[in-house]
Amino acid sequence: MKYACPQDFPTKLHLTLRLLAGALMAFTLVRLALWLMYRPVFAALSPGQTAMAFVQGLRFDFSVLALFLGPGVFLLFLPVRSVKWAKGCYILLITLLLFLLMVLAGDFIYFPQAKRHMAEELLHVKNEWAFLLHFAVVNCWPYLLAAALLYIGLLRTGLRYLRRHWRPAATAAWRTGAACVLILLIVLLGIRGKLGEGKPLSMTDIHRYSSAPAQATLMINGVFSSYHSLRRGETAPANPTDKEWALAQARALFASPQEAFVRADYPLLRQVKTTAPFRAKNVLVVLLESWTPKYIDSFGQGHYQVTPHFDELARQGVRFSQAYASGVRSIFGISAAFAGVPLIPGLPHFAYGLELNQITSLAQALKHQGYYTAFIQSSLRSSYQMCNISQKIFGVDESFGMEDIPRLMNYRAEQDFGYDYDLLQFAAGKADAAHRAGKPFFLFTFTGTTHVPFRQTTPEFDKYPRTSEENKYLNSLYYADYAIGQLMQRARQGGWLKDTVFVFMADHTMATAQKDDELLTKFRIPFVIYAPELLAPQQIDYPVSQLDLIPTLYHLLQIPAPFAALGADALNPAIQHFAFISESTNLAFIDPTGHIRHNRLQALEISAAPGTPQHQALQERLLALDKSVQVLFENNRWFTPTLPQK
C-alpha cells in the first residue's frame, strides 16, 4: 500500500467495546441498586416511567463516559506501532474509569442523606479535600480496598490481553483516518447527548426528558450531576419573578404590628417596636447535629428512651412541633440559625463569599448591651471556617473548636466531629466565668457526636447493641442527651439557669432514617426554647424554622437594634408563619395552608390542587422570598447596622 499505517483494529475495538459495555453496566447496576434500596423515593413512578428512566439514563451515562474516556480512546486509535503506546492508553482509560466509578460510589453513599445525587454541595467542600480524604480512609477503607483490587485486576487483565494479541499490521491510511474521524464524531455526539440545535446535555435537560422529579432523579447519575455542578458553579435556573413585586410580597409576609421596616433602600431591614426596656437575659444556643424527631420521644411519640433530659426540657419549655431545617446539611442550619440567611441556589456559603455581605450579627447587638459572646463548635476550628468568621466577621469575643476543648472522658474511639459533653461543659465554664464577672452572655454552640459514623463514646452509653447504624445512632444520641442534662446541672449549680434563654435546635435530621423523600418529614427538626423566667410551658403547632431564631430572640429580649432575617418571631401567634427551605437546586415552602417544592420554573410537588388560589399563593410566596434574597445579596442591601435617619 502506498500510504499505510500500523494498526490493530480488532484488539483496539475489543478493548474499547469491553470497557464501554462494562462501564455502562456499572452505571446501570448502580441505578438499579438505588431503585431497589430506596423504593419509597420512586414509588410514585409507573412501570413505564421507571423503564424510561433506565433507557434515558443510558444517554446521561454515555455523555459522561464520552467526555472522560473519549480522548483516551481517540489516542488509542492513533497509528502507533509500539505496544507501550497501547498499554499507556489502556492505563489512562482504566484510571479514568476507576475515578468515575469511585465518584459513582461516593454518590451512592451520599444519596440516602438527601435522596438525590451530589450536586452543588461539591462547590462548598472542594477546599476540604484533606479532611474528606482522612474521613474516607478512616471510615470507607473497605470500599477503597475494593477499588484498589478492582484497579489492579483490570490492569493485569488488559495488559495481559495486549501482550498476547497485539499484532499491528499495515493498514490503509484512509481507514485509520476514517476510524479517527468516526471516533471523534461518536465522542462529540455522546457528549452532546442529542442531535440538532441546542447546547450539549446538561442539568437543565433532565426535566425535558422526564415527567416527574423522581424520574429525573433515577435518570441521571452522580458523575453527571457532580461534573455539571462543578463546571457551571451552580445548576439552578434563574428566578423569572419581577424583583420589585417580589420585594413587596416579601414585606407583606413579614408585616407585623410589633415591627417596623426602617429603611426603604434595605427593604427587609426591620426593628422591634417597643417601649419596654431591654431584657438582659443570657442566651445559650445549642445547635444539635442530626437530631431527628423520630428518635426523640417528646417529638416522635416513640419509646426509644434515649433523650430523657431533652424530653423533660421539651415538657417544661416551649416546644415547636412543626419546626423545619433550612437545608439538608449543617452549613444551611448554621447560616439560618446564626445569621438568619437561607442559602438559596447560587448564593455562596460562608467561607466562599457570603460573609463579605452585611449580615445581621446578634453577637454584635448583644455586645453593645455589655454581653460576653462566644462561638463554640465540637469539630475542628477549620470546619466551615466558622470559628474565624464568627470572630472576625460577626464580632464574637472568642471562638473555639475541638483543638481548644479539653478531653473529659476516657473515650473508646476518636470522634471526627468532637465530643458533646466536653463541648457543653466547656461552654458552661465560659458561662460560669461571665456570670461571676457580672456580665450576661451569648454562647452559640454546635454539637457533633451524633454525626455519622456514630462511633462509641464510652460503654455506659451503649443502651442498644451496636449491631446496626440505627442502634449506633441511638447510643450517640443517648450520650448527647446526657451532655445536655449535665449542662443544665451546671447552669443550676452556677446560679444562671433562671436568667438564661436556652435554645435547642437541630441543624438537620439524620436523612438515612427516612427512606422516602417526603418533604414534611425530611426537614422536620426538634426545636425547644427553655426560659423559665420568661416563657410558660406550651406547644406551638404552626410551622416555624431555623430562620425564625434571630427575630424570636430580638423580640424576646427586646433588642433595640435593627435586624434582617428571612424569618419571624416564632412566639407570636398573630403573624404569618412559614418555613423556607433550600434543597440543592430546588426550593420548598411550608405554611399552615400547605407546602410546595419548586425549581424556579415549575412546581415539582404541591399540596394544593392546580388552579386553586392556594396553589397560586404557595408558588408566589416561595418565588417572592427566593427572588428577594437573591436581589438583596446581589446588591448588598440585606442588612446595614446603621439606624435610620430621623
Side-chain angles (χ1 to χ4, degrees):
M1 283 176 279
K2 187 174 181 181
Y3 299 103
C5 300
Q7 277 290 8
D8 186 353
F9 281 129
T11 300
K12 293 178 178 181
L13 282 171
H14 181 82
L15 279 179
T16 301
L17 292 176
R18 288 187 68 173
L19 278 176
L20 179 60
L24 288 173
M25 182 178 295
F27 276 65
T28 301
L29 287 175
V30 170
R31 183 174 289 112
L32 178 63
L34 287 175
W35 180 70
L36 291 173
M37 293 182 65
Y38 303 102
R39 293 295 295 274
V41 175
F42 309 109
L45 297 180
S46 67
Q49 288 175 312
T50 301
M52 186 56 64
F54 277 85
V55 173
Q56 290 282 9
L58 293 173
R59 178 202 300 257
F60 291 88
D61 299 344
F62 190 73
S63 177
V64 289
L65 289 173
L67 176 67
F68 286 95
L69 302 185
V73 173
F74 183 81
L75 291 174
L76 176 64
F77 275 82
L78 291 178
V80 179
R81 181 179 297 276
S82 172
V83 71
K84 291 182 178 179
W85 176 264
K87 288 180 177 180
C89 292
Y90 178 76
I91 292 171
L92 173 64
L93 287 168
I94 288 297
T95 302
L96 289 171
L97 178 58
L98 183 71
F99 171 75
L100 297 182
L101 294 179
M102 290 184 70
V103 174
L104 203 63
D107 177 74
F108 185 82
I109 294 170
Y110 173 79
F111 189 87
Q113 302 295 325
K115 308 302 184 298
R116 59 171 174 79
H117 299 287
M118 296 186 297
E120 54 83 31
E121 54 272 4
L122 293 175
L123 298 169
H124 311 293
V125 298
K126 59 185 179 183
N127 292 329
E128 305 289 340
W129 293 118
F131 169 77
L132 292 176
L133 181 60
H134 167 76
F135 188 80
V137 170
V138 172
N139 299 288
C140 302
W141 65 266
Y143 302 102
L144 297 177
L145 178 61
L149 293 175
L150 175 64
Y151 183 65
I152 293 170
L154 290 174
L155 276 182
R156 293 187 62 185
T157 301
L159 295 178
R160 185 186 301 116
Y161 179 84
L162 283 170
R163 284 196 303 271
R164 291 179 178 177
H165 299 280
W166 183 252
R167 300 291 186 273
T171 305
W174 71 267
R175 291 180 182 275
T176 294
C180 289
V181 170
L182 181 61
I183 290 169
L184 187 60
L185 289 175
I186 292 173
V187 168
L188 292 176
L189 181 60
I191 294 172
R192 283 186 56 80
K194 51 190 173 183
L195 293 170
E197 298 180 356
K199 296 180 179 179
L201 204 63
S202 68
M203 291 292 286
T204 58
D205 290 302
I206 60 176
H207 293 294
R208 175 187 298 182
Y209 301 113
S210 65
S211 57
Q215 188 183 32
T217 300
L218 188 60
M219 186 183 300
I220 63 170
N221 60 73
V223 179
F224 185 90
S225 63
S226 300
Y227 166 73
H228 285 282
S229 297
L230 290 173
R231 181 179 67 87
R232 294 183 59 86
E234 52 107 358
T235 58
N239 185 335
T241 307
D242 178 76
K243 63 180 181 180
E244 297 302 330
W245 176 89
L247 288 168
Q249 293 297 311
R251 285 169 68 97
L253 274 173
F254 292 117
S256 167
Q258 289 76 40
E259 291 179 1
F261 293 103
V262 295
R263 287 186 62 155
D265 52 343
Y266 289 83
L268 296 188
L269 188 67
R270 295 173 277 160
Q271 194 168 7
V272 177
K273 290 181 181 178
T274 180
T275 56
F278 170 75
R279 296 168 175 164
K281 296 292 185 180
N282 308 312
V283 178
L284 203 165
V285 178
V286 184
L287 195 63
L288 302 161
E289 171 65 51
S290 300
W291 278 49
T292 303
K294 174 183 176 181
Y295 300 107
I296 302 165
D297 293 349
S298 54
F299 280 79
Q301 284 73 51
H303 300 283
Y304 293 97
Q305 299 180 351
V306 292
T307 56
H309 299 101
F310 184 85
D311 293 336
E312 185 62 26
L313 291 172
R315 284 189 287 271
Q316 296 181 6
V318 179
R319 172 182 173 273
F320 297 91
S321 65
Q322 298 299 320
Y324 297 94
S326 295
V328 295
R329 294 173 48 237
S330 298
I331 191 62
F332 288 80
I334 294 172
S335 178
F338 188 69
V341 177
L343 296 180
I344 62 170
L347 190 68
H349 294 194
F350 283 125
Y352 295 91
L354 180 63
E355 67 280 0
L356 300 179
N357 295 274
Q358 290 275 18
I359 297 174
T360 301
S361 172
L362 176 59
Q364 286 279 27
L366 292 177
K367 280 178 69 174
H368 286 309
Q369 301 293 334
Y371 276 59
Y372 164 75
T373 61
F375 179 92
I376 313 171
Q377 61 185 22
S378 63
S379 54
L380 294 170
R381 292 183 60 86
S382 59
S383 177
Y384 294 121
Q385 294 299 320
M386 281 306 299
C387 282
N388 287 330
I389 290 170
S390 65
Q391 193 164 8
K392 296 177 180 178
I393 303 297
F394 287 89
V396 300
D397 292 315
E398 295 183 291
S399 62
F400 304 95
M402 186 195 299
E403 306 94 316
D404 309 305
I405 300 174
R407 191 71 54 84
L408 301 179
M409 289 186 178
N410 185 24
Y411 296 106
R412 289 295 182 91
E414 188 65 30
Q415 296 282 352
D416 293 316
F417 300 93
Y419 302 93
D420 293 359
Y421 174 75
D422 301 354
L423 162 78
L424 296 181
Q425 288 297 300
F426 185 83
K430 293 295 179 182
D432 282 339
H435 181 67
R436 288 193 299 269
K439 295 188 70 171
F441 57 81
F442 166 64
L443 305 177
F444 190 101
T445 68
F446 179 30
T447 69
T449 310
T450 41
H451 194 289
V452 290
F454 317 128
R455 293 196 181 94
Q456 186 182 37
T457 51
T458 60
E460 58 264 38
F461 296 109
D462 285 347
K463 188 177 181 69
Y464 291 87
R466 296 179 59 82
T467 54
S468 67
E469 287 300 298
E470 182 178 62
N471 284 1
K472 292 176 184 178
Y473 172 74
L474 288 169
N475 292 338
S476 67
L477 196 59
Y478 191 41
Y479 161 84
D481 179 76
Y482 169 80
I484 290 174
Q486 293 300 297
L487 169 69
M488 303 309 292
Q489 183 174 323
R490 281 286 297 274
R492 192 173 295 107
Q493 293 171 347
W496 42 271
L497 177 68
K498 292 185 178 181
D499 293 324
T500 301
V501 177
F502 293 89
V503 177
F504 299 95
M505 171 188 287
D507 63 340
H508 54 75
T509 63
M510 186 182 71
T512 53
Q514 182 185 357
K515 293 301 181 184
D516 60 18
D517 198 33
E518 204 277 321
L519 183 70
L520 300 183
T521 305
K522 183 176 183 178
F523 293 97
R524 181 172 168 255
I525 57 171
F527 178 17
V528 169
I529 299 178
Y530 177 76
E533 293 295 297
L534 293 178
L535 301 172
Q538 64 171 312
Q539 176 173 306
I540 290 177
D541 295 321
Y542 46 72
V544 299
S545 84
Q546 296 160 335
L547 291 162
D548 294 326
L549 181 56
I550 283 181
T552 302
L553 292 174
Y554 269 74
H555 280 271
L556 190 59
L557 302 184
Q558 297 289 291
I559 300 174
F563 67 92
L566 207 76
D569 178 9
L571 296 169
N572 185 351
I575 60 175
Q576 298 185 77
H577 290 281
F578 58 85
F580 181 82
I581 298 165
S582 184
E583 184 185 25
S584 183
T585 57
N586 299 330
L587 297 162
F589 178 87
I590 302 167
D591 74 5
T593 70
H595 63 271
I596 182 174
R597 262 191 178 117
H598 208 282
N599 68 357
R600 288 179 170 164
L601 296 180
Q602 62 181 352
L604 305 176
E605 172 191 333
I606 190 165
S607 60
T612 62
Q614 181 188 356
H615 183 286
Q616 182 178 355
L618 287 169
Q619 181 167 264
E620 288 181 349
R621 290 167 185 168
L622 178 146
L623 292 174
L625 292 172
D626 172 50
K627 188 71 171 186
S628 296
V629 175
Q630 175 191 331
V631 168
L632 294 178
F633 274 97
E634 282 179 352
N635 298 281
N636 201 11
R637 291 192 295 121
W638 176 258
F639 173 77
T640 178
T642 58
L643 290 170
Q645 295 180 356
K646 297 185 178 181

